[in-house]
């Protein structure tokens, strides 16, 4: 009985962690740092441009210019670009226990590349 409960807790934890992350592909100016949704720390961008981060709140849903995930590019401590990124509802958030749909229902659109050098999101 205890093993079954422990296994269930592990599965729920893994689903919660995986379900609350989102990923996207970015092209940004060399030497710059990308900040998403007003967060204090920049995201880590892999060599292939992939970013994996926590999901976003409902306020970050939509298509620019009116909606979307806000971003800021900084270089040498100065903001060089700001704007919004296309986002989408993450159906996986429905299955995250208790808080998924409330806390992190919005994600990056993994089907497009956010090219912040040329200003395209395709």
């Amino acid at each position: 009985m205890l093993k079954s409960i422990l296994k269930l807790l592990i599965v729920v934890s893994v689903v919660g962690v995986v379900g609350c992350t989102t990923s996207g592909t970015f092209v940004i100016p060399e030497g710059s740092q990308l900040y998403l949704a007003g967060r204090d720390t920049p995201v880590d961008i892999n060599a292939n441009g992939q970013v994996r981060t926590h999901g976003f709140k409902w306020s970050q849903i939509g298509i620019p210019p009116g909606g979307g995930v806000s971003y800021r590019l900084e270089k040498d401590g100065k903001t060089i670009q700001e704007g919004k990124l296309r986002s989408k509802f993450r159906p996986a958030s429905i299955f995250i226990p208790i808080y998924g749909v409330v806390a992190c229902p919005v994600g990056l659109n993994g089907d497009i590349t956010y090219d912040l050098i040329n200003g395209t999101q395709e």
Side-chain angles (χ1 to χ4, degrees):
M1 175 76 166
L2 185 58
K3 282 186 177 183
S4 297
I5 292 172
L6 184 59
K7 285 180 184 178
L8 179 61
L9 288 174
I10 290 171
V11 167
V12 168
S13 297
V14 168
V15 168
V17 169
V18 170
C20 209
T21 60
T22 183
S23 62
T25 304
F26 287 83
V27 177
I28 66 169
E30 189 157 337
S32 62
Q33 294 181 306
L34 176 64
Y35 294 81
L36 297 176
R39 295 176 180 163
D40 294 333
T41 55
V43 294
D44 290 325
I45 302 177
N46 294 341
N48 63 359
Q50 281 289 105
V51 168
R52 180 171 289 266
T53 187
H54 294 288
F56 308 103
K57 296 178 182 175
W58 282 108
S59 62
Q60 302 290 311
I61 199 162
I63 298 173
V69 176
S70 59
Y71 77 89
R72 182 177 82 251
L73 278 175
E74 283 189 8
K75 189 170 187 174
D76 300 324
K78 295 180 182 174
T79 299
I80 60 170
Q81 185 177 336
E82 290 181 292
K84 295 199 176 199
L85 305 169
R86 293 177 68 171
S87 62
K88 66 178 186 175
F89 175 74
R90 297 173 333 103
S93 68
I94 294 170
F95 302 103
I96 300 170
I98 302 170
Y99 67 93
V101 175
V102 176
C104 55
V106 177
L108 297 168
N109 189 331
D111 298 329
I112 63 176
T113 297
Y114 299 100
D115 184 343
L116 302 181
I117 294 174
N118 298 309
T120 60
Q121 299 183 35
E122 300 174 355

